[in-house]
Amino acid sequence: MSSTVTLPADVLSEHPASSFWTLSRLAGAIILLMLALFAFLGPALIEADPLSQDYDAVLVAPGDAEHWLGTDQFGRSMLARLTHGARLSFVMALLTAASAALPGIALGILAAWRGGWVERLLVASSDVVLALPGLLLVLLLLAFSPGSFGPLYLGLALYLWVEFFRVARIEAARVFTQPVVEATLRLGFGWGYILRRLLLPALAMPMLTLFAFAMGSAVVAVSTLSAIHVGLRPPTPELGAIIVELMPHYSEAPWQVLMPATAIFLLVLSLQLFAGAKPR
Amino acid sequence: MKQRLMLRLMQCVAVVLMVGTLSFALMVALPGDPAMRIAAGRYGPDMMNSAIADQVRAELELEQPLAQRFVVWMGDLLRFDLGHSLVTGAPVVDEIGLQLGHSLMLALLAFAISLLIGPTLGALAGLMPGSWMDRTTLVLATALRAVPPFVLAVLMMVIFAVTLRWLPTAGFGSWQHLLLPAITLALGLAAMSSRVMRDAMVRVTREPYFAHARLKGLSDRAVVQRHGLRNASLPVFTYLGLQLVYLVEGVVVVESIFAFPGIGHALVHAIIARDVPMVQGTALAMGGLFVVLNSLVDLGCVQLDPRLRRAA
Amino acid sequence: MSALIEIEQLTIKTADGRPLVTDVSFSIHAGEPFCLVGETGSGKSLVMHALMGSLPDELRCSGQIRYQKENLLALPAAQRRAFWGRRFALLPQEPWLALDPTMTVLDQVAEVLLALEGMPLGQARKLATTELSVLGLGDNLLSYPFELSGGMAQRVSIAMARIAASPLLLADEPTKGLDKALCQTVADLLLTEADAGRGLLVITHDLDLVAALGGRLGVMRDGRLLESGVTEPWLKAPTQPYSRELIAAMPQHWPRPQTKVSAQRSEVVQAQGLSKSFGDRHLFSDLDVTLREGEVTVVLGPSGSGKSTLGNVLTGLLPADAGQLIWPESASPLKYQKIYQDPPAAFIAHQTLRQSFDDLLALHGLEPARLNHLLSELGLAEALLERRPSGISGGELQRLAIARALLLEPVMLFADEATSRLDPVSQKKVIELLLAEVAERGLALLLVTHDPALAERIADQLIRLDQQPTDAAAQQQAA
């Protein structure tokens, strides 16, 4: 049980840890960096084609001299498929998160700044998006052409912008009601100065956090949709698809199932660790 | 509160409009003869022939502008006339009724298990921040949250069905079939709610009213029971809204992986089979249920928090 | 009369041996208030928690605290805890924060009996009802804390302390966060308890409360008890220099400002028939105000009375609902500057003050020498600018805010409760500086406050907004 009295921090000479680089954020950043190297350097360094099949070397266990991480049921190089899969996840996550963040943040600031019907309209449209769970929305769009990239990207961005909008609006509204805004304007500064010196610095941290969470959500969504056969389809080296494809061969080749699962886990974990606590 | 319920009502309308419009667009956009597809959707694929298709074409005036056809489509929808599945030919309403029951059973069981684990562990961890209990649950919850439901489902299957052979891998029929999907969902839910409860508990124990309750003479037990738990569970209850998102999405994913014949499984199959009436029906049912449950959460929050109750 | 509590050579140290409180000795007698006076960080709260037995485990106590011939410091923690509520009752700081937001007032009072006497709920509620009714809260039994005003929350906490009939009452900053006007009410409530024969220890930095309570007092600074004695003579003739400084900082002891030459002064703003309301809350109507150069205008009123709103309207920061405002033709908004209640909230938090001031100088093409001159005029070291707003004291930051406003050579300054968050010594200093600027530069000063003593001391023109605030409004203000 915590102590009954809370003393001012200086009495107990407690110094709050450095605010940005917490231990978990550092760990997240390191794992993320290693995964990024694997995903972006891997395809360039590894000559094996993730699609080329070799029926003479099917389900080779990892540790083989020729196939370091083994092969799948068609004799394709697991290493090649994993690096390409990781790159695909990274690119999709970055693309969708960026496409959601830019309009989300801009509209959030606009809503908080203008208020009135502009704000009501934007809030109402975000509420409409939230009426359906995100995956359902993406599924409905994917129904138009299962397995293709366009609706997947569109659906994810359409859903993810809401979170950026919501938090940016609340944060901006909080900043705008602070006396410092009134004081700064009265001293003769313009809105541009307030945007640069007050608003953007205040938004930077929560938005970075949301961006990492959005990337995590995108990674999960993309792999999940392939795993349930409506997202990107085999033979595309997509991590979720690789897992499900290899599931029937689990007894013979357990590592081939566990490796892509670990890759997804590490990617999502590192993004969540890097993100820190979610702003509300 | 009125405002909140108005919002939910608006969302309900939005669900119907969105699902209806997208389904209509799907009907129009898919390759092939829309009249044949509509006729099959209305009367079932077995009943369908070219004469009926022509009849539909004439009745719906398929040569008519899209707008008019859209109005007819939405009219059917509002009369709860959801048509027939293009695959089985059964009325969509009947199919959904059955599947929804299965899914609700799964979701309720998962939710109940998660409530047993999550908030309980969270409250204990929150009362002893920094203890081994707190740290262990933190590590477990962080790891679990980084595992997407389908990966968790695969792992559960691999461990309990393939390796240990305790439970069946997939399918439906006995309570054993329900167990793995439910535990999979429950673990994900508990990972989230335990941390919310933990953080809320820590915050409450630092509140002046918590300290003062001890100072006015209450025992530790009484302080936690009378002032800790209720205040700490407020954010957990509010958080149920987000848990619902996870639950609905999780039902879709977990049912598909375990081939559990619920509504999520049906939606995914309908999409793959291009069974537009079923897509519409299942999406409507899930979206509608989602909004209704959210409204219940809203009402619950008001009941729990006197500040909201008085404002209502 | 034998002492209820005797504290002898109480010393409190951190785990690493840093002394926080050193050699404090005093005694508390039944029926006589004892006030422990000092600034934040003087160690007065630690003394109270040492007496209560609620210090964090990391702190080490030595010396003696005797209650009924027993040294409390020698008792095991569990035994001391059994005294809570039964022997020692605590009135918490800012009681509206110390009440459970989700439980009714009645149940929070009744549960004390549940816990201490194991009384059945029905009987406990009956007794709690009586207790609350005596304190004038009969209509608020089923209210939740957010529905109470600050003064009402204070009375609820008194009911909780009284119901167990403990012989000693400890009050922690009982006037913190309340309007000055409520000070006497709080003192009366506490005196009733003392008159009933209880011991009363009051921790405060509010000398008005000390004066109203009488009894005995001790003055603490840097963890030491500078002096202790009977309150009344101390107020008239303090012996310690620090005590003299404290007493001199009370507005009623300030020297009267010199009467000014009644030269022809021009108006900086003229307002006629002003009205303003927020939703259903009606603040003021048909108000005529004229602010002139070189004149101090004070708006006095309780929390929620609309006094800050009036200031904002006169400064042109808020539109009025009705009425006419006339500013001189040449006036630019830049010449009407505002000083805020919470100094850090008026500065950009994440950049150094130097950066903020450089931006301001560059924006208006001002000479840095002007700033340096102003800083020395206001008694501020230039090195302060290298820090961030959170890195310097409230009093210094408030003076920097004044320097910032003066850079633009305003004709009017609107000080919105600008000293209410400062300790009395800093408050005096800031007000003196403001008055000096009024005299020297002939600016119009509009000061908004809830402290009648301050208002009466410095006002050339006094506007009272007396409208009783609704409880909700007062509570909002308090929170």
PDB file of all heavy atoms in Angstrom, chain B residues 56-78:
ATOM      1  N   VAL B  56     -37.491  -9.578 -62.324  1.00  0.00           N
ATOM      2  CA  VAL B  56     -36.787  -8.665 -61.425  1.00  0.00           C
ATOM      3  C   VAL B  56     -36.321  -7.441 -62.188  1.00  0.00           C
ATOM      4  O   VAL B  56     -36.471  -6.300 -61.741  1.00  0.00           O
ATOM      5  CB  VAL B  56     -35.589  -9.379 -60.773  1.00  0.00           C
ATOM      6  CG1 VAL B  56     -34.669  -8.364 -60.104  1.00  0.00           C
ATOM      7  CG2 VAL B  56     -36.071 -10.404 -59.775  1.00  0.00           C
ATOM      8  N   ARG B  57     -35.783  -7.697 -63.369  1.00  0.00           N
ATOM      9  CA  ARG B  57     -35.266  -6.593 -64.167  1.00  0.00           C
ATOM     10  C   ARG B  57     -36.371  -5.580 -64.435  1.00  0.00           C
ATOM     11  O   ARG B  57     -36.194  -4.375 -64.300  1.00  0.00           O
ATOM     12  CB  ARG B  57     -34.723  -7.136 -65.494  1.00  0.00           C
ATOM     13  CG  ARG B  57     -33.676  -6.237 -66.140  1.00  0.00           C
ATOM     14  CD  ARG B  57     -33.293  -6.756 -67.519  1.00  0.00           C
ATOM     15  NE  ARG B  57     -33.037  -8.208 -67.555  1.00  0.00           N
ATOM     16  CZ  ARG B  57     -31.862  -8.751 -67.235  1.00  0.00           C
ATOM     17  NH1 ARG B  57     -30.858  -7.992 -66.911  1.00  0.00           N
ATOM     18  NH2 ARG B  57     -31.701 -10.055 -67.277  1.00  0.00           N
ATOM     19  N   ALA B  58     -37.557  -6.119 -64.769  1.00  0.00           N
ATOM     20  CA  ALA B  58     -38.669  -5.228 -65.069  1.00  0.00           C
ATOM     21  C   ALA B  58     -39.127  -4.501 -63.796  1.00  0.00           C
ATOM     22  O   ALA B  58     -39.316  -3.291 -63.781  1.00  0.00           O
ATOM     23  CB  ALA B  58     -39.827  -6.039 -65.654  1.00  0.00           C
ATOM     24  N   GLU B  59     -39.235  -5.292 -62.737  1.00  0.00           N
ATOM     25  CA  GLU B  59     -39.779  -4.722 -61.506  1.00  0.00           C
ATOM     26  C   GLU B  59     -38.846  -3.656 -60.931  1.00  0.00           C
ATOM     27  O   GLU B  59     -39.280  -2.586 -60.516  1.00  0.00           O
ATOM     28  CB  GLU B  59     -39.968  -5.859 -60.496  1.00  0.00           C
ATOM     29  CG  GLU B  59     -40.539  -5.389 -59.181  1.00  0.00           C
ATOM     30  CD  GLU B  59     -40.249  -6.420 -58.091  1.00  0.00           C
ATOM     31  OE1 GLU B  59     -40.013  -7.599 -58.436  1.00  0.00           O
ATOM     32  OE2 GLU B  59     -40.237  -6.047 -56.924  1.00  0.00           O
ATOM     33  N   LEU B  60     -37.590  -3.973 -60.899  1.00  0.00           N
ATOM     34  CA  LEU B  60     -36.637  -3.031 -60.335  1.00  0.00           C
ATOM     35  C   LEU B  60     -36.225  -1.970 -61.329  1.00  0.00           C
ATOM     36  O   LEU B  60     -35.506  -1.041 -60.988  1.00  0.00           O
ATOM     37  CB  LEU B  60     -35.385  -3.768 -59.851  1.00  0.00           C
ATOM     38  CG  LEU B  60     -35.570  -4.640 -58.620  1.00  0.00           C
ATOM     39  CD1 LEU B  60     -34.229  -5.210 -58.207  1.00  0.00           C
ATOM     40  CD2 LEU B  60     -36.168  -3.851 -57.478  1.00  0.00           C
ATOM     41  N   GLU B  61     -36.698  -2.152 -62.546  1.00  0.00           N
ATOM     42  CA  GLU B  61     -36.371  -1.203 -63.613  1.00  0.00           C
ATOM     43  C   GLU B  61     -34.861  -0.979 -63.621  1.00  0.00           C
ATOM     44  O   GLU B  61     -34.372   0.110 -63.390  1.00  0.00           O
ATOM     45  CB  GLU B  61     -37.127   0.098 -63.418  1.00  0.00           C
ATOM     46  CG  GLU B  61     -38.639  -0.154 -63.443  1.00  0.00           C
ATOM     47  CD  GLU B  61     -39.425   1.054 -63.012  1.00  0.00           C
ATOM     48  OE1 GLU B  61     -39.552   1.966 -63.837  1.00  0.00           O
ATOM     49  OE2 GLU B  61     -39.872   1.107 -61.851  1.00  0.00           O
ATOM     50  N   LEU B  62     -34.154  -2.093 -63.848  1.00  0.00           N
ATOM     51  CA  LEU B  62     -32.702  -2.041 -63.798  1.00  0.00           C
ATOM     52  C   LEU B  62     -32.120  -1.103 -64.836  1.00  0.00           C
ATOM     53  O   LEU B  62     -30.972  -0.685 -64.715  1.00  0.00           O
ATOM     54  CB  LEU B  62     -32.112  -3.441 -63.965  1.00  0.00           C
ATOM     55  CG  LEU B  62     -32.114  -4.265 -62.681  1.00  0.00           C
ATOM     56  CD1 LEU B  62     -31.465  -5.607 -62.922  1.00  0.00           C
ATOM     57  CD2 LEU B  62     -31.403  -3.536 -61.568  1.00  0.00           C
ATOM     58  N   GLU B  63     -32.901  -0.789 -65.838  1.00  0.00           N
ATOM     59  CA  GLU B  63     -32.404   0.202 -66.793  1.00  0.00           C
ATOM     60  C   GLU B  63     -32.576   1.608 -66.217  1.00  0.00           C
ATOM     61  O   GLU B  63     -32.082   2.573 -66.753  1.00  0.00           O
ATOM     62  CB  GLU B  63     -33.130   0.100 -68.143  1.00  0.00           C
ATOM     63  CG  GLU B  63     -32.655  -1.046 -69.019  1.00  0.00           C
ATOM     64  CD  GLU B  63     -33.094  -2.409 -68.488  1.00  0.00           C
ATOM     65  OE1 GLU B  63     -34.176  -2.474 -67.880  1.00  0.00           O
ATOM     66  OE2 GLU B  63     -32.333  -3.381 -68.651  1.00  0.00           O
ATOM     67  N   GLN B  64     -33.349   1.675 -65.125  1.00  0.00           N
ATOM     68  CA  GLN B  64     -33.590   2.964 -64.477  1.00  0.00           C
ATOM     69  C   GLN B  64     -32.292   3.489 -63.845  1.00  0.00           C
ATOM     70  O   GLN B  64     -31.344   2.744 -63.632  1.00  0.00           O
ATOM     71  CB  GLN B  64     -34.637   2.785 -63.368  1.00  0.00           C
ATOM     72  CG  GLN B  64     -36.028   2.572 -63.899  1.00  0.00           C
ATOM     73  CD  GLN B  64     -36.516   3.755 -64.690  1.00  0.00           C
ATOM     74  OE1 GLN B  64     -36.438   4.880 -64.239  1.00  0.00           O
ATOM     75  NE2 GLN B  64     -36.985   3.519 -65.920  1.00  0.00           N
ATOM     76  N   PRO B  65     -32.295   4.805 -63.576  1.00  0.00           N
ATOM     77  CA  PRO B  65     -31.092   5.372 -62.956  1.00  0.00           C
ATOM     78  C   PRO B  65     -30.769   4.665 -61.629  1.00  0.00           C
ATOM     79  O   PRO B  65     -31.666   4.145 -60.965  1.00  0.00           O
ATOM     80  CB  PRO B  65     -31.454   6.836 -62.724  1.00  0.00           C
ATOM     81  CG  PRO B  65     -32.901   6.975 -63.024  1.00  0.00           C
ATOM     82  CD  PRO B  65     -33.301   5.823 -63.879  1.00  0.00           C
ATOM     83  N   LEU B  66     -29.480   4.702 -61.309  1.00  0.00           N
ATOM     84  CA  LEU B  66     -28.982   4.043 -60.104  1.00  0.00           C
ATOM     85  C   LEU B  66     -29.724   4.515 -58.863  1.00  0.00           C
ATOM     86  O   LEU B  66     -30.042   3.735 -57.970  1.00  0.00           O
ATOM     87  CB  LEU B  66     -27.494   4.346 -59.923  1.00  0.00           C
ATOM     88  CG  LEU B  66     -26.514   3.420 -60.612  1.00  0.00           C
ATOM     89  CD1 LEU B  66     -25.105   3.886 -60.333  1.00  0.00           C
ATOM     90  CD2 LEU B  66     -26.715   1.992 -60.119  1.00  0.00           C
ATOM     91  N   ALA B  67     -29.995   5.812 -58.830  1.00  0.00           N
ATOM     92  CA  ALA B  67     -30.595   6.397 -57.639  1.00  0.00           C
ATOM     93  C   ALA B  67     -31.883   5.691 -57.268  1.00  0.00           C
ATOM     94  O   ALA B  67     -32.124   5.347 -56.116  1.00  0.00           O
ATOM     95  CB  ALA B  67     -30.838   7.886 -57.846  1.00  0.00           C
ATOM     96  N   GLN B  68     -32.672   5.423 -58.302  1.00  0.00           N
ATOM     97  CA  GLN B  68     -33.968   4.804 -58.055  1.00  0.00           C
ATOM     98  C   GLN B  68     -33.808   3.385 -57.525  1.00  0.00           C
ATOM     99  O   GLN B  68     -34.498   2.966 -56.594  1.00  0.00           O
ATOM    100  CB  GLN B  68     -34.751   4.780 -59.370  1.00  0.00           C
ATOM    101  CG  GLN B  68     -36.236   4.685 -59.134  1.00  0.00           C
ATOM    102  CD  GLN B  68     -36.979   4.997 -60.408  1.00  0.00           C
ATOM    103  OE1 GLN B  68     -36.499   5.756 -61.254  1.00  0.00           O
ATOM    104  NE2 GLN B  68     -38.143   4.413 -60.560  1.00  0.00           N
ATOM    105  N   ARG B  69     -32.869   2.673 -58.136  1.00  0.00           N
ATOM    106  CA  ARG B  69     -32.625   1.313 -57.669  1.00  0.00           C
ATOM    107  C   ARG B  69     -32.111   1.320 -56.228  1.00  0.00           C
ATOM    108  O   ARG B  69     -32.425   0.434 -55.435  1.00  0.00           O
ATOM    109  CB  ARG B  69     -31.596   0.633 -58.585  1.00  0.00           C
ATOM    110  CG  ARG B  69     -32.211   0.238 -59.908  1.00  0.00           C
ATOM    111  CD  ARG B  69     -31.157   0.062 -60.980  1.00  0.00           C
ATOM    112  NE  ARG B  69     -30.133  -0.912 -60.615  1.00  0.00           N
ATOM    113  CZ  ARG B  69     -28.965  -1.010 -61.236  1.00  0.00           C
ATOM    114  NH1 ARG B  69     -28.688  -0.215 -62.240  1.00  0.00           N
ATOM    115  NH2 ARG B  69     -28.088  -1.901 -60.843  1.00  0.00           N
ATOM    116  N   PHE B  70     -31.343   2.335 -55.926  1.00  0.00           N
ATOM    117  CA  PHE B  70     -30.801   2.455 -54.573  1.00  0.00           C
ATOM    118  C   PHE B  70     -31.928   2.603 -53.556  1.00  0.00           C
ATOM    119  O   PHE B  70     -31.933   1.984 -52.492  1.00  0.00           O
ATOM    120  CB  PHE B  70     -29.841   3.649 -54.505  1.00  0.00           C
ATOM    121  CG  PHE B  70     -29.257   3.876 -53.135  1.00  0.00           C
ATOM    122  CD1 PHE B  70     -28.430   2.922 -52.557  1.00  0.00           C
ATOM    123  CD2 PHE B  70     -29.535   5.031 -52.427  1.00  0.00           C
ATOM    124  CE1 PHE B  70     -27.891   3.117 -51.299  1.00  0.00           C
ATOM    125  CE2 PHE B  70     -28.996   5.236 -51.164  1.00  0.00           C
ATOM    126  CZ  PHE B  70     -28.173   4.274 -50.597  1.00  0.00           C
ATOM    127  N   VAL B  71     -32.920   3.448 -53.937  1.00  0.00           N
ATOM    128  CA  VAL B  71     -34.047   3.670 -53.034  1.00  0.00           C
ATOM    129  C   VAL B  71     -34.786   2.358 -52.776  1.00  0.00           C
ATOM    130  O   VAL B  71     -35.128   2.032 -51.633  1.00  0.00           O
ATOM    131  CB  VAL B  71     -34.987   4.748 -53.608  1.00  0.00           C
ATOM    132  CG1 VAL B  71     -36.271   4.814 -52.784  1.00  0.00           C
ATOM    133  CG2 VAL B  71     -34.294   6.091 -53.645  1.00  0.00           C
ATOM    134  N   VAL B  72     -34.982   1.593 -53.834  1.00  0.00           N
ATOM    135  CA  VAL B  72     -35.670   0.313 -53.665  1.00  0.00           C
ATOM    136  C   VAL B  72     -34.880  -0.598 -52.743  1.00  0.00           C
ATOM    137  O   VAL B  72     -35.416  -1.224 -51.827  1.00  0.00           O
ATOM    138  CB  VAL B  72     -35.866  -0.358 -55.050  1.00  0.00           C
ATOM    139  CG1 VAL B  72     -36.445  -1.764 -54.866  1.00  0.00           C
ATOM    140  CG2 VAL B  72     -36.768   0.494 -55.919  1.00  0.00           C
ATOM    141  N   TRP B  73     -33.557  -0.649 -52.972  1.00  0.00           N
ATOM    142  CA  TRP B  73     -32.663  -1.492 -52.155  1.00  0.00           C
ATOM    143  C   TRP B  73     -32.757  -1.124 -50.670  1.00  0.00           C
ATOM    144  O   TRP B  73     -32.943  -1.979 -49.811  1.00  0.00           O
ATOM    145  CB  TRP B  73     -31.234  -1.326 -52.670  1.00  0.00           C
ATOM    146  CG  TRP B  73     -30.206  -2.068 -51.872  1.00  0.00           C
ATOM    147  CD1 TRP B  73     -29.530  -1.623 -50.782  1.00  0.00           C
ATOM    148  CD2 TRP B  73     -29.735  -3.392 -52.099  1.00  0.00           C
ATOM    149  NE1 TRP B  73     -28.674  -2.567 -50.324  1.00  0.00           N
ATOM    150  CE2 TRP B  73     -28.768  -3.680 -51.118  1.00  0.00           C
ATOM    151  CE3 TRP B  73     -30.027  -4.386 -53.061  1.00  0.00           C
ATOM    152  CZ2 TRP B  73     -28.096  -4.892 -51.053  1.00  0.00           C
ATOM    153  CZ3 TRP B  73     -29.350  -5.585 -52.990  1.00  0.00           C
ATOM    154  CH2 TRP B  73     -28.393  -5.830 -51.992  1.00  0.00           C
ATOM    155  N   MET B  74     -32.668   0.192 -50.417  1.00  0.00           N
ATOM    156  CA  MET B  74     -32.702   0.623 -49.026  1.00  0.00           C
ATOM    157  C   MET B  74     -34.085   0.399 -48.426  1.00  0.00           C
ATOM    158  O   MET B  74     -34.214   0.126 -47.229  1.00  0.00           O
ATOM    159  CB  MET B  74     -32.309   2.106 -48.894  1.00  0.00           C
ATOM    160  CG  MET B  74     -30.858   2.413 -49.235  1.00  0.00           C
ATOM    161  SD  MET B  74     -29.662   1.462 -48.276  1.00  0.00           S
ATOM    162  CE  MET B  74     -29.710   2.355 -46.737  1.00  0.00           C
ATOM    163  N   GLY B  75     -35.119   0.505 -49.270  1.00  0.00           N
ATOM    164  CA  GLY B  75     -36.483   0.247 -48.799  1.00  0.00           C
ATOM    165  C   GLY B  75     -36.602  -1.174 -48.270  1.00  0.00           C
ATOM    166  O   GLY B  75     -37.130  -1.415 -47.187  1.00  0.00           O
ATOM    167  N   ASP B  76     -36.089  -2.138 -49.053  1.00  0.00           N
ATOM    168  CA  ASP B  76     -36.090  -3.530 -48.608  1.00  0.00           C
ATOM    169  C   ASP B  76     -35.399  -3.671 -47.267  1.00  0.00           C
ATOM    170  O   ASP B  76     -35.863  -4.353 -46.363  1.00  0.00           O
ATOM    171  CB  ASP B  76     -35.350  -4.411 -49.638  1.00  0.00           C
ATOM    172  CG  ASP B  76     -36.221  -4.667 -50.847  1.00  0.00           C
ATOM    173  OD1 ASP B  76     -37.424  -4.345 -50.767  1.00  0.00           O
ATOM    174  OD2 ASP B  76     -35.706  -5.160 -51.863  1.00  0.00           O
ATOM    175  N   LEU B  77     -34.262  -2.987 -47.190  1.00  0.00           N
ATOM    176  CA  LEU B  77     -33.439  -3.079 -45.985  1.00  0.00           C
ATOM    177  C   LEU B  77     -34.215  -2.594 -44.763  1.00  0.00           C
ATOM    178  O   LEU B  77     -34.216  -3.215 -43.707  1.00  0.00           O
ATOM    179  CB  LEU B  77     -32.171  -2.245 -46.193  1.00  0.00           C
ATOM    180  CG  LEU B  77     -31.176  -2.190 -45.052  1.00  0.00           C
ATOM    181  CD1 LEU B  77     -30.762  -3.584 -44.655  1.00  0.00           C
ATOM    182  CD2 LEU B  77     -29.954  -1.395 -45.478  1.00  0.00           C
ATOM    183  N   LEU B  78     -34.896  -1.435 -44.942  1.00  0.00           N
ATOM    184  CA  LEU B  78     -35.611  -0.855 -43.808  1.00  0.00           C
ATOM    185  C   LEU B  78     -36.791  -1.716 -43.397  1.00  0.00           C
ATOM    186  O   LEU B  78     -37.230  -1.662 -42.251  1.00  0.00           O
ATOM    187  CB  LEU B  78     -36.073   0.570 -44.137  1.00  0.00           C
ATOM    188  CG  LEU B  78     -34.920   1.565 -44.237  1.00  0.00           C
ATOM    189  CD1 LEU B  78     -35.452   2.950 -44.544  1.00  0.00           C
ATOM    190  CD2 LEU B  78     -34.102   1.583 -42.949  1.00  0.00           C
TER     191      LEU B  78
END
